[in-house]
Amino acid sequence: MGAGRLGAPMERHGRASATSLSSAGEQAAGDPEGRRQEPLRRRASSASVPAVGASAEGTRRDRLGSYSGPTSVSRQRVESLRKKRPLFPWFGLDIGGTLVKLVYFEPKDITAEEEEEEVESLKSIRKYLTSNVAYGSTGIRDVHLELKDLTLCGRKGNLHFIRFPTHDMPAFIQMGRDKNFSSLHTVFCATGGGAYKFEQDFLTIGDLQLCKLDELDCLIKGILYIDSVGFNGRSQCYYFENPADSEKCQKLPFDLKNPYPLLLVNIGSGVSILAVYSKDNYKRVTGTSLGGGTFFGLCCLLTGCTTFEEALEMASRGDSTKVDKLVRDIYGGDYERFGLPGWAVASSFGNMMSKEKREAVSKEDLARATLITITNNIGSIARMCALNENINQVVFVGNFLRINTIAMRLLAYALDYWSKGQLKALFSEHEGYFGAVGALLELLKIP
Amino acid sequence: GSLTKLAYYSTVQHKVAKVRSFDHSGKDTEREHEPPYEISVQEEITARLHFIKFENTYIEACLDFIKDHLVNTETKVIQATGGGAYKFKDLIEEKLRLKVDKEDVMTCLIKGCNFVLKNIPHEAFVYQKDSDPEFRFQTNHPHIFPYLLVNIGSGVSIVKVETEDRFEWVGGSSIGGGTFWGLGALLTKTKKFDELLHLASRGQHSNVDMLVRDVYGGAHQTLGLSGNLIASSFGKSATADQEFSKEDMAKSLLHMISNDIGQLACLHARLHSLDRVYFGGFFIRGHPVTMRTITYSINFFSKGEVQALFLRHEGYLGAIGAFLKGAEQDNPNQYSWGENYAGSSGLMSASPELGPAQRARSGTFDLLEMDRLERPLVNLPLLLDPPSYVPDTVDLTDDALARKYWLTCFEEALDGVVKRAVASQPDSVDAAERAEKFRQKYWNKLQTLRQQPFAYGTLTVRSLLDTREHCLNEFNFPDPYSKVKQRENGVALRCFPGVVRSLDALGWEERQLALVKGLLAGNVFDWGAKAVSDVLESNPYFGFEEAKRKLQERPWLVDSYSEWLQRLKGPPHKCALIFADNSGIDIILGVFPFVRELLLRGTEVILACNSGPALNDVTHSESLIVAERIAGMDPVVHSALREERLLLVQTGSSSPCLDLSRLDKGLAALVRERGADLVVIEGMGRAVHTNYHAALRCESLKLAVIKNAWLAERLGGRLFSVIFKYEVPAE
C-alpha cells in the first residue's frame, strides 16, 4: 500500500524565525480606510450542533439569504471588494480534538507599493509560513496540497495547508503573542470545538478576538468551494476502481457535477455524518465515537507507536486475519444461509480471545486489525445512513484518511460490496482541511 | 462462539398421587368412617426440556455428560448449531457415536426466541438503571411479531422476524462480544470475559475517552451540548507518555462496543420501522453492565422511540431452537411448556457483592428446565384485553416492603410444609431425608430471591407458591395434602345433605346470602394460609358453622353484594365458569350448593379445577369423584351432569393461583361454545393474589376471605375480612 512515511525528522526553523519577528506594531496599511473591518457576523451559538462522535442527529438546517453575485468584475465591484476585504493575513482555523488545521492565503499579487506599506510583522508571518514546511517540532505544511494561483476576493495567491496537534495550541497562541498578532487587527476565524475551548486563551494570552464558526457550516462550505476550484487543474474528487485488487486498483477522478443529495462522512477523532441536500440545506444524521482518534489511541495502547504515520506504517505490514475471526474461521467457508462470504470479518479481534493466538500475533497485525475494524465500522454506519436517507453517493473526508490508502480502499470496497453496487464511495484530495477552508471563506464573506 | 449450550429432552419419572373411586357395586350403604375414595401413588413419566450452558473448553466434559445421560436411548442424531457445530462435529461424532445434524444458527436462534417469548411468562424485560431492582418484566404479549433480534455473540447479527418461519438477516457487525473479550484481553491482560466486565464496572471511561467537554472546553454548556458525550473512544490514549488503568480501558471498550451496537440496532430498527428490539447473545447474558450500556445507547440513538428488551434465557435460544428443529416430527410447538423453577438457575444478580468468581461459576454452568405440559395453554377468551392482562396483583420485585413480608412469611411456613410432606408419606423410609432436601432447596431459592428478586421474572406471591410446588415435586412429594384432602372430602360429603336441606328451607333472598356466606366460609379452610393451618392443626373439628361465625359481618371490606342480589332478580345467566379453590368443605359445602342454585335458575355451569395438586386445592380428578358422589345424593346435580349442563374441566394449572392467560385449551373452547357470561373466582390465591384487577368481558364475581393479617391490614381490613367483588363490564 502506498502509505508514505511522513514521520521523518522535521526542520526546526520555527524558533529562529519567531525571535526575529517581534517588532511590528503599527497600523496596517493595506486598506485605504485603515480601519478594522466590521466585526464578523457571529453565528448564533445555539444553532451549533455537535460535530462530534456520539451526539444525536441534528434537525435539517436551512440557511436563507446567502450571498450571490455575478463574477463579472466591474470597476465598481473591485472597489467594493477592496472595501469589504479584510486585512491580511488571511487565515482559516479549524481546531479539532486531535489536530489543528490552518489554511493561509499567501497573496502573490502584492504591488511594490503594497510591499512597502506592509508592516514588518505581517511580512514576517508570510515569510515564515511560506518558506518552511515544518513549524516547531510538530507543525507541518502539506506542500503537496498547496493550491496555486487562486483568486480570492479579487486577490491572487496561493493557499497553504498547515496542521499541528491540538495539544500544541498553547504554544501556537504564545507564538501569536510573541509575534504581536493583535497589532495586525486581524480577525481569526476559527471553527471546531477548540474555537470554544481556546477562545479565552486567545483573548487573554494573545489579545486576539476569535470569531467562532459552526463547524458543519464551515465543513460544507469548504468542500463545495474546494471542489469548485479543483486541485491545480486536476480533479479534487476521486474514487477507486477495483479497490480490492492490488494489481488493478486505480484511483480515478470523479466529477462531482451533481453533488446533491450527498452523504458526507467526516472522519476526524470522531465521526460525523451529514446528509447534504443543497449548499444551505443539510442535517447531521448521526455520528460515532469510533473514529480516527480511536484507531490511533488503540494503536498506541496495543503497539506502543507514537505517531499516526507510524501506526499506519505498521498497519501496512500487518495481517489482520490473524487477529480477527473471519466467517470462514467459524463456518469453515461461506455462511450461505445469509450470503456471508468466508473472508468477511465475523468478530473483530475475535481470535484474541485465545491465549495462544494472542501470543502469536505481531504489533503490525494488531495495528492492521485496528485499522480494519474502525474502517469497516464507519463504512457500515455510513451505509445504513445512506439507506435510511436514500442517498447513494458518499463522500468520505477527514484527516483519518490522510495517507491512509488502506482505509480508503476498504471503504470503497465495503460500500460497493454490501450495497451490491448501489453506493459509491468518494474521496477528496484535501480530506482534512475543509473546515479550515470554510472558516477562511467566512472571513472573506464568500458565500 | 465460546460457550456451548446444550438442550436435551428427557422423560422424567416422578411420583404422582392418583385418586380412584372405590368400587361400590354390591354395596348400598357406606360405613361411617370409610374414606370417599382411595389414593395411590404412581410413577408418571413427563417430558422435560433441559438446557445447560458452559464454556467451550469444557466440551469434552460436556460430551461425557451427554453420553452418561443418553444410555438406553434410541437417539441416533444430535442437533448442533453455531460455529462450533462445524468445529466440533468430528469430536462429537466420535465420542457419542451419533450423527451430527448441523442446524442453521439463525434459524435456531429465532425458533428459540419465539419459543421462549411464547412459553415463558416474564421472559422479556427492560433494564432501568435507577430503579430497584433494575429489571422490569414485560407481560407476555399475544402477538410477538414483528421484532428485531440483535444477537451479540463474538460478532453481532441483526435479524428481522416477521412470523414463526419468516425472518431475514438484515445486517451485522464484527464489533461484538469477541471484540470486547479479545481486545480487552490484549489491553488489560485479563483473560476471562466476566473479569473484564468486572473491571469495566469499576472503571472511569473519561480517563481514556475524548469527551465533548475535552474538545469544547467549558463551552459545551452554552452550546447546549452534553459534555459527557464521547467524541472519540480511546481518544485520550493517543499518547505515549501516560499509563491507563485496566479498569478505565475496559470501561471505555465496553462503552465503545455497546454504543456501536446500539447505534446499528437503531439504524436497522428505523429502516424497518420496528420498535421492539430483543438483545441476546453471550455479551448480554444477564450482565447488568452490558444491559445498562446497551439500553443507554438505544435510548440515546433512538431518542426513546425504540425499546431495548432483554430475555431471561437469551443464552439458550440457539440450543432451544436446535432442539425444536430436531424434534419437528414431534412438534414441541404443539404443546405448552412451563418453566420449572426448581430446576432452573435464576437470572444473574446485579448485587455488587457478587464477585467475578461467582459470576464465572454461574456463567460457565447454568440451567433451565422446561416441563412439557399435558395440554396446550391459551388465553381465557373472556379477557377484556389480553395484551394488557397481568395476573398478579402485587409485583414483589417492585414493592420491597411486600417482598420482605412475603419472603419471611414463606420462610416461616417452611417448617410446617416440611412436616406435612413427611406426614403425607408415612410408609416411606426416606421421606424425612427428602423433605429435608426439599427444605434446603426451597430455602436456598428464597435466599436467592431475597438477593435477586428478579431471578425468575417478576416476583409474585404466585411465583413463590409455584416454586414451592416445583421443589416439592422435585423431591417426590407430589401431593402432600392428599390424605388431608381425602379426610376432609369424606367429612364434608357426609354434611352435604344437611347443608342443602337447611338452605332449601330458607326464603329466596335469605338463601342467596347464605349461599354466598357458604362460599366464603368454605374458603376459610385453606391450608395455604398459615393462620388457618395453625387452627386446623390444633383443632381438626373446626367446623363449617364456626367458620361462618368467624366471617366479618356486612358491610364487608369490599362489598357489592347488593348489586349481585339485584342482578339475581333479573334473568338467569347463560353459563357460569367457576374456578374452585379448596378441597373438602369449600368445594362440597360452599361451591356445590352455589352451583346447584345456579343450575336451578337455568344457568349452565363449567366447574374448573386444577389439573395437578397444589396445597389442599381440589384437583380435577378429585372433583370428578366428589361430583359423582354428590350426584348420588342430589337429583339436581345428578341430572345436570347427565345432561351436560354441569361440566367439570381442568384448568391446565397446578398452581394455587390462577393465570387467565394460560388456561387449558379445552376449557377455552368450552367457554366459547357455551357462551359463558359469568366468571366466579374464589379464594385468596386466585381472586386476591391474582386477578384482583383482572378485567373481563362479562360479569364476574371475585370472592375471598383474607386469611393473612398483613394483607388484610394492607387492604385496610383485618383478619378474616371479606372480599366480595361483583363486576359488570362497562357497556
Side-chain angles (χ1 to χ4, degrees), chain B residues 35-153:
Chain B
Y37 52 86
E38 63 178 341
I39 304 169
S40 61
V41 172
Q42 293 171 9
E43 293 288 332
E44 193 184 65
I45 291 174
T46 54
R48 183 175 289 176
L49 264 170
H50 306 254
F51 304 97
I52 304 176
K53 61 181 176 191
F54 43 82
E55 284 183 25
N56 278 353
T57 35
Y58 304 115
I59 181 92
E60 299 234 12
C62 155
L63 294 178
D64 289 335
F65 177 87
I66 303 178
K67 208 165 148 188
D68 293 344
H69 284 71
L70 277 179
V71 266
N72 299 332
T73 60
E74 287 156 30
T75 315
K76 292 281 181 292
V77 180
I78 185 163
Q79 269 73 31
T81 185
Y86 300 82
K87 203 155 121 196
F88 296 119
K89 184 174 187 284
D90 294 340
L91 180 67
I92 297 170
E93 294 195 333
E94 184 222 352
K95 243 196 146 120
L96 299 180
R97 307 198 180 286
L98 293 175
K99 191 175 157 296
V100 173
D101 251 13
K102 286 172 301 197
E103 300 293 350
D104 173 68
V105 185
M106 214 40 76
T107 312
C108 292
L109 270 183
I110 306 301
K111 269 189 180 293
C113 191
N114 292 340
F115 181 82
V116 296
L117 284 176
K118 275 189 307 191
N119 286 289
I120 305 187
H122 301 140
E123 176 60 31
F125 59 90
V126 294
Y127 185 88
Q128 288 175 325
K129 189 175 147 200
D130 293 320
S131 63
D132 177 30
E134 300 95 329
F135 307 102
R136 192 140 308 264
F137 294 92
Q138 309 281 297
T139 50
N140 280 32
H141 201 282
H143 308 291
I144 61 173
F145 306 109
Y147 64 85
L148 206 62
L149 177 66
V150 180
N151 191 61
I152 315 173

Side-chain angles (χ1 to χ4, degrees), chain B residues 510-691:
Chain B
E510 265 180 305
R511 187 164 73 245
Q512 302 315 311
L513 183 61
L515 283 167
V516 164
K517 277 189 170 173
L519 265 179
L520 291 165
N523 204 252
V524 174
F525 293 83
D526 180 352
W527 285 86
K530 195 167 181 295
V532 177
S533 63
D534 286 348
V535 179
L536 281 177
E537 204 83 55
S538 58
N539 177 15
Y541 299 106
F542 184 73
F544 189 48
E545 291 307 316
E546 201 179 330
K548 279 193 196 168
R549 280 195 297 278
K550 281 241 175 201
L551 287 181
Q552 183 191 15
E553 286 300 316
R554 286 194 65 196
W556 294 320
L557 185 55
V558 174
D559 192 341
S560 36
Y561 177 73
S562 308
E563 288 86 344
W564 169 244
L565 187 70
Q566 202 53 40
R567 171 64 187 86
L568 286 180
K569 290 174 183 163
H573 295 92
K574 185 169 184 316
C575 173
L577 168 65
I578 301 179
F579 290 98
D581 187 11
N582 304 322
S583 269
I585 291 172
D586 189 9
I587 180 85
I588 294 163
L589 304 182
V591 175
F592 264 97
F594 183 79
V595 166
R596 188 171 167 274
E597 181 77 10
L598 286 173
L599 290 168
L600 286 168
R601 277 170 62 82
T603 302
E604 294 181 343
V605 175
I606 302 170
L607 184 61
C609 300
N610 266 5
S611 301
L615 296 173
N616 65 329
D617 289 3
V618 60
T619 63
H620 174 60
S621 38
E622 286 159 1
S623 76
L624 289 174
I625 294 170
V626 164
E628 183 196 335
R629 296 293 301 276
I630 289 177
M633 300 182 265
D634 182 86
V636 179
V637 171
H638 180 83
S639 62
L641 274 176
R642 205 184 48 212
E643 292 157 19
E644 295 189 340
R645 283 183 289 111
L646 170 59
L647 298 139
L648 279 68
V649 296
Q650 52 182 313
T651 57
S653 159
S654 304
S655 163
C657 295
L658 179 64
D659 180 351
L660 295 176
S661 66
R662 282 167 71 82
L663 287 176
D664 189 86
K665 205 173 175 177
L667 186 156
L670 201 59
V671 161
R672 236 184 246 111
E673 182 191 309
R674 296 292 167 112
D677 53 357
L678 172 68
V679 174
V680 182
I681 307 174
E682 62 143 353
M684 216 161 70
R686 292 175 182 76
V688 179
H689 290 319
T690 53
N691 298 310

Side-chain angles (χ1 to χ4, degrees), chain A residues 345-358:
Chain A
V345 183
S347 173
S348 297
F349 287 84
N351 280 342
M352 298 297 91
M353 289 187 278
S354 132
K355 187 166 177 283
E356 299 79 57
K357 288 184 175 158
R358 277 202 296 277

